[in-house]
């Protein structure tokens, strides 16, 4: 299905409203390739009809299909490496120290805020397991969320094909923490049981999610316009404990998100600690 004059603007508006995702004018091919087949299957003869069906028809299933198709779910195990080094050698030790200093329970709460098919929260679980070994006495809860229902279903299954297993900078950890099953490789129970998943649109309120010690918000901010990005960053920061850390992607920064967002570099990863910026400077 080809876009007719004015239809790209309608689709841009729709996608921004549904997911916050900003499609620039060069993305017409993406709309045609990813949304065209969905429009056809739902009986639309053009994108204009798809727009009105979604805008005024209350078609929740169709809405989900559009969101799943237009969002980019690219991910891999231990993607970019650096954030996982920072997690292991800086963030987790400091969180553990902070909790001990404050007499808090032996608990770790970590959020992978746009987790796609689950590689990121499982890798976080593996790093926690590497650091704390038998996890004795520790209550570790890792939450993976994503707007896409399809990716959350894959993440929950926790079984990955050979080609996905091969896409990693840490092959040794992959063989240690996955076992072969029918149809692929399953993450071991010790890690699987730390991780829960749920569908969540970052545009929606985040009440009741936190408080977290660490939030991974990686490779998703790039899809939003500045105002949406700043709003999400501020609301995600509200879910963090005062000692909590926020980790963004290699090509992302929060330089325009306000004085609470002072970038730090640890193990070559960019991280923020918005709760520890002196109140007068926020
Ligand atoms: C490129 S993947 C990043 C996955 C992982 N964080 C990583 O770095 O490998 C981006 C994910 O953001 C999700 N996403 C896009 N818009 C979203 C929104 N408004 N709320 C929640 N998730 C969103 C997409 O569905 C997609 O799975």
């Amino acid at each position: 299905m080809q876009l007719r004059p004015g239809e790209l603007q309608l689709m841009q508006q729709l996608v921004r409203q549904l997911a916050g995702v900003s499609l620039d004018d060069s993305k017409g091919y993406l709309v045609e390739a990813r949304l065209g087949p969905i429009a056809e299957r739902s009986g639309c003869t053009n994108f204009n009809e798809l727009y009105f069906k979604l805008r005024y028809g209350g078609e929740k299933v169709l809405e989900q299909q559009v969101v799943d198709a237009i969002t980019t779910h690219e991910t891999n195990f231990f993607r970019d490496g650096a954030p996982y080094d920072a997690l292991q050698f800086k963030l987790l030790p400091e969180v553990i120290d902070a909790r001990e200093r404050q007499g808090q329970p032996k608990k770790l709460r970590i959020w992978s805020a746009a987790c796609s098919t689950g590689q990121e929260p499982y890798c976080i679980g593996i790093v926690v397991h590497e650091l704390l070994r038998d996890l004795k006495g520790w209550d570790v809860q890792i939450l993976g969320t994503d707007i896409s229902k399809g990716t959350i279903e894959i993440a929950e299954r926790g079984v990955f094909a050979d080609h996905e297993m091969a896409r990693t900078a840490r092959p040794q950890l992959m063989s240690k923490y996955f076992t072969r099953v029918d149809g692929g490789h399953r993450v071991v129970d010790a890690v699987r049981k730390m991780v829960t998943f749920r569908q969540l649109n970052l545009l929606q309120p985040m009440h009741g999610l936190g408080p977290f010690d660490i939030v991974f918000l990686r490779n998703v901010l790039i899809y939003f316009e500045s105002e949406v990005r700043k709003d999400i960053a501020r609301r995600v920061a509200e879910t963090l404990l005062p000692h909590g850390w926020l980790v963004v992607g290699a090509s992302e920064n929060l330089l325009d998100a306000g004085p609470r967002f002072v970038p730090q570099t640890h193990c070559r990863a960019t991280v923020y600690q918005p709760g520890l910026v002196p109140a007068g400077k926020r």
Side-chain angles (χ1 to χ4, degrees):
M1 185 181 288
Q2 286 201 331
L3 284 161
R4 301 175 310 167
E7 287 185 333
L8 177 57
Q9 289 70 28
L10 284 182
M11 289 298 114
Q12 286 170 323
Q13 193 184 317
L14 183 73
V15 169
R16 197 177 306 117
Q17 234 156 32
L18 293 177
V21 169
S22 160
L23 298 173
D24 65 41
D25 291 346
S26 71
K27 294 293 190 307
Y29 73 95
L30 208 67
V31 170
E32 289 180 349
R34 293 188 183 179
L35 301 189
I38 294 173
E40 277 165 17
R41 275 200 304 276
S42 72
C44 300
T45 54
N46 54 54
F47 286 103
N48 198 45
E49 283 176 22
L50 180 67
Y51 175 81
F52 281 98
K53 208 168 193 166
L54 283 167
R55 196 80 173 75
Y56 304 106
E59 303 240 11
K60 288 290 164 201
V61 174
L62 186 59
E63 189 177 296
Q64 190 61 60
Q65 287 171 354
V66 165
V67 166
D68 279 25
I70 204 66
T71 43
T72 299
H73 308 293
E74 167 61 20
T75 188
N76 59 59
F77 289 102
F78 296 100
R79 182 175 187 175
D80 300 331
Y84 296 98
D85 289 337
L87 180 67
Q88 183 162 2
F89 300 113
K90 175 78 182 172
L91 277 47
L92 284 171
E94 293 219 351
V95 163
I96 290 165
D97 283 352
R99 278 190 171 269
E100 267 173 15
R101 258 197 326 272
Q102 295 155 21
Q104 290 180 8
K106 288 171 101 176
K107 198 170 174 183
L108 288 174
R109 296 209 66 217
I110 304 175
W111 179 21
S112 165
C115 69
S116 187
T117 38
Q119 282 85 337
E120 185 173 272
Y122 288 132
C123 289
I124 292 170
I126 290 172
V127 169
V128 170
H129 196 275
E130 283 289 296
L131 189 75
L132 298 176
R133 295 293 162 187
D134 58 6
L135 301 174
K136 223 178 240 146
W138 280 92
D139 171 15
V140 183
Q141 296 172 23
I142 300 166
L143 173 67
T145 66
D146 200 283
I147 194 174
S148 156
K149 189 164 182 268
T151 61
I152 288 296
E153 284 167 3
I154 295 170
E156 269 177 330
R157 225 173 294 138
V159 175
F160 297 90
D162 288 348
H163 69 273
E164 286 162 316
M165 298 294 291
R167 295 184 62 211
T168 179
R170 311 268 162 92
Q172 279 167 343
L173 286 179
M174 299 300 291
S175 17
K176 184 169 168 189
Y177 284 96
F178 285 82
T179 50
R180 190 166 258 298
V181 292
D182 263 3
H185 306 256
R186 187 199 298 281
V187 64
V188 297
D189 283 347
V191 171
R192 180 67 189 87
K193 69 179 186 207
M194 294 181 212
V195 188
T196 54
F197 292 98
R198 64 182 261 201
Q199 197 183 357
L200 180 91
N201 183 348
L202 291 169
L203 299 185
Q204 306 293 324
M206 297 167 185
H207 307 312
L209 278 184
F212 295 105
D213 297 284
I214 299 168
V215 176
F216 272 49
L217 180 66
R218 298 169 64 224
N219 304 305
V220 64
L221 294 172
I222 37 168
Y223 299 107
F224 305 133
E225 273 167 5
S226 168
E227 285 311 310
V228 176
R229 197 178 64 239
K230 289 191 279 190
D231 175 59
I232 290 175
R234 279 189 219 112
R235 289 185 299 112
V236 167
E238 294 302 321
T239 71
L240 281 169
L241 288 159
H243 62 249
W245 295 90
L246 175 59
V247 184
V248 299
S251 60
E252 295 165 323
N253 68 67
L254 296 172
L255 293 175
D256 60 351
R260 298 172 75 185
F261 296 92
V262 182
Q264 301 180 34
T265 306
H266 296 294
C267 307
R268 288 178 294 116
T270 306
V271 298
Y272 298 83
Q273 215 170 10
L276 284 192
V277 175
K281 292 204 164 184
R282 289 182 194 176

